[in-house]
Amino acid sequence: VARLGEALLRSEQAQSDLVRARLPAHGTLDFVDKFEYIDLVDAAHPDAFVVVHLYEDFLPACVRLNFRLQELAAKHDQVRFLAVVASD
């Protein structure tokens, strides 16, 4: 049973590695306008995740979240991180 579990884990990891190899690498939080955001989401790979943060520069919580999203983007380069000013 333990060997079966290990084999399943290796199989899942191999499948995950294959999907990751097909996805474009990003690694940054991209600040875009509302028109760029639509084009970038539409053009994203069908297996990729896109995180969109609608923010305002004057809100301290948004500034902090942008900082954290930059950190996450560096760690999860297969995910596209976008930030769009909400009031635009």
Side-chain angles (χ1 to χ4, degrees):
V1 175
R3 288 181 190 231
L4 178 60
E6 290 173 11
L8 287 173
L9 185 60
R10 281 194 305 272
S11 174
E12 288 174 0
Q13 183 63 41
Q15 187 176 19
S16 176
D17 291 344
L18 284 174
V19 169
R20 184 180 168 103
R22 292 183 305 179
L23 297 177
H26 303 287
T28 60
L29 173 63
D30 298 320
F31 293 86
V32 298
D33 65 31
K34 62 185 174 186
F35 301 110
E36 289 175 294
Y37 135 77
I38 292 169
D39 293 338
L40 291 170
V41 170
D42 286 344
H45 190 282
D47 293 330
F49 289 100
V50 179
V51 174
V52 179
H53 178 216
L54 301 175
Y55 74 98
E56 293 292 349
D57 283 329
F58 60 87
L59 295 174
C62 288
V63 174
R64 287 192 304 273
L65 183 56
N66 280 337
F67 178 74
R68 296 297 179 213
L69 289 174
Q70 288 172 340
E71 292 177 338
L72 283 172
K75 292 179 183 176
H76 302 281
D77 65 346
Q78 75 282 7
V79 177
R80 186 79 191 248
F81 287 86
L82 303 175
V84 182
V85 175
S87 60
D88 280 351

